[in-house]
Structures are given as C-alpha cells and as structure tokens.
Amino acid sequence: MFKQLSPAQLDPILSLSLAFREDARADKVDLGIGVYRNTQGETPIMLAVQKAQQQLLAEQTTKAYVGLAGDEVFNQSMMDLLLTGTSAHSRSAAVQTPGASGALRMLADLMHIAQPDTTVWLTNPSYVNHKPVMEAAGLKVKFYPYFDTATKQVNSQAMLAEIAKAGPNDVVLLHGCCHNPTGADITFSDWQAITELANKNGFLPFVDIAYQGFGDGLEKDAAGLQHLADNVEEMIIATSCSKNFGLYRERTGAAIIVSDSLKEAQKAKGRILNLARSTYTMPPDHGAAVVAKILQDEALTKDWKAELLTMNQRLLNLRSGLVKAIQAVGSNEFDFIEKHKGMFSVTGLSPEQIGRLRDEFAIYAVADGRVNIAGLQEQKIDYLANALVTVSR
C-alpha cells in the first residue's frame, strides 16, 4: 500500500532543528524554531509551572479521562484571560485543544461544516502552518497585503483596502499580537477599522493569539482582540499556552467561539466536540491542569505574571542590544528589529544570505529570512551582529 507514496516534504522549520543538532561547530546559534531560550540557551520550566506541577502531583488521585471538552476550569480561565471586561465574555464558549494548531484545525473543520465554500484570508506572509491547516479542512485560502518589505512594517493602507473586499463567505484571520513571522503588529486603530469592516461587510474575524505577554505586555497584547470581541456579534479565537506558560511539549491550547448569545456559542462548541471525537477524541490533560491551577491561584498567578514580564523585558533588551551591536559595526540596515514585537523578526535576507549564515557562521534561521530573537543569548549578540552585516553586504 505505502510503496507508491512519494517522500514527505521536509518542514521548513522543524527540519532546521535536526540540521542544527548534527552541526558539530561550537559557536552554532539556533534562531530557527520558535522557542524561548534563556541566557544559558535553555528553555526553562517557569517557576509558577513548577509549583503548580508539585501541587497537582500531591492532589491528583486519578488519570481517568477528563472528557471531550478537556479541562473546563482551564477553558473558563482562558476565556477570562482573553475576554474579561468585554461583552463577549458572557456569550462565548471554549474547548481545550492539543495546542493552538489543534484549535486552528478544529475551528477550520467547524467552518467547513457551517459553510463549505468559505475562504480564509491570511496575512502575507503568515504563520507557516495557517495555509496547510485551512486547506486540509477543505477551505479556500487567500492572502491580503500586510508586510512592507521596504519599511519592514505593516502596510496598513494596503491591508485595509484589501480586507474591505471580504464578504459574508469570508473569514479574515488576524494575529492577536507579535506577528509570526514578521514581528510587525497592526495598530489599535487598525483593529478599530477592521472591526468596522467586519460589521459592515459581514466577514467572520478569526484571531490567532499565541504570544500574549511577549509584545507590549499581557493586557495590552489582548487590547485589539478585546475591542473586536466587544463590538462584533461573532468571531473565533485560537489561543496557545506554549510560549507564555512555556508548555511547548504539553500541547496546551483552546478554541473559543464568540456568538451573539451563549446558547449559540454552546451549540458551536457541541459541534467541535463531535469533530474532536472523530479525530483525537480528548486533549492531553497535564498542561491544561497546570494552567488552570496557576490562573485559579492568586499567588501562582502573581508569580507567573512577574516571570512573564521578566521574559518580555529580556526580549526587548535582546532586540535593542542587537540593533546597537549592528550599528557599532557600521550598519543601520537592521534598525527595524528594535521596533518589532515578540519572538520573531523578518530580516529581509534572501535564502542565499540565510544559507551563508548557516554555512559560514553556523547560524540557523528560516529560509524566508525569519529569525527567532527569543532564541538568542546575550553573549552571542556581537557574533550575530557581525554575521548579519557580513552577509548583507
């Protein structure tokens, strides 16, 4: 049966990790896969997570199934985190999923059931998994202008002009904060304009928020999403705890449906549960139990927020430090890096220049020019600055 299959195409990001591991050079730098690493190059378990795990170990008495929806305390906690203070908070429902990718797929499948001819509009460029997940669910995909390759910022005028063409059969996918891969975020006024267009033209907003707390802070990073949720009747959200809780391997995410009433949101949730039953059935429990424990405990929440703030501040310092180091070797070509937010920046380097970084300097980055600033260590800043200037000349 399987001999007729052609070889699988390598994932452009995950395959980098394998190549990096096999590289024997001592000065190698991994700026490919999107994980946060500390000064020692490790992806640490957050202290609040460690404390929550210890409590769970002492309290848990069973490993029985938790149900199709996952941990309902976790589900409510994620809605609280994202939607508290909005009208959407009382008319939304959530399902725990295996990471945000699981949420993307469940919501895509839900859209296909509700409206099979749906077209999902993505930013150009967008997260590498958005297009294949939407297409695997049978949806059409279209891209709208987003990133200006000259300024390395969002081209708001072109973006809004194109989104204005979306209609009732369309879904417009937005990055909640810390755009992946570019690092360039839309402004609050852009969020307001998109909200007006959604109400005027009837498209469904779809927000993917995977980096809350890594941009302008936990509350500000959700401000645009909250404005949208407060002012539209219907929207969907995919959210992740991989980055801001450091739970990468635990695959902890949620799909949230906002509707014009709680009854309608619960109806959509029921259809997602049907979809879950025919795929993974039930999500893994541990990560969601950890997050629920943290967000339901005032002391643990305080610890988590403080550590997340420290990580965010370190990211800002890495960005400013890298720009200063590049300027010190005589270039202002990468000043935009300091203006970007979150883990990533698109450098504007060509695939050939990215290849030179790997071959000549053992610096691994994605071929589209994306670098993971959160994977950088302070002691490697000068080395990276010199390499970037060298390959860009």
Side-chain angles (χ1 to χ4, degrees), residues 12 22 32 39 48 105 121 124 150 164 203 223 227 238 243 276 278 283 297 300-301 308 349 353 357 361 382-383:
E22 295 174 358
T39 305
R105 182 56 192 264
W121 296 42
N124 185 20
F203 62 77
H227 175 81
K243 276 72 178 181
S278 63
D297 184 291
L300 288 178
T301 298
L308 181 60
L349 296 179
Q353 290 169 318
L357 281 179
F361 297 93
D382 289 341
Y383 181 69

Side-chain angles (χ1 to χ4, degrees), residues 237-309:
I237 303 166
T239 186
S240 169
C241 300
S242 292
K243 276 72 178 181
N244 55 10
F245 285 89
L247 293 171
Y248 301 91
R249 67 174 62 172
E250 302 298 348
R251 309 312 301 134
T252 308
I256 301 175
I257 308 99
V258 176
S259 194
D260 59 357
S261 69
L262 179 60
K263 180 181 178 180
E264 289 300 313
Q266 291 286 1
K267 182 173 70 174
K269 176 176 178 174
R271 296 304 297 268
I272 290 181
L273 299 185
N274 291 157
L275 291 165
R277 182 59 173 143
S278 63
T279 51
Y280 57 81
T281 299
M282 299 179 194
D285 175 61
H286 183 71
V290 166
V291 172
K293 175 67 71 174
I294 290 171
L295 294 181
Q296 293 298 311
D297 184 291
E298 186 176 342
L300 288 178
T301 298
K302 183 178 179 181
D303 288 347
W304 169 65
K305 287 183 176 180
E307 190 167 5
L308 181 60
L309 182 62

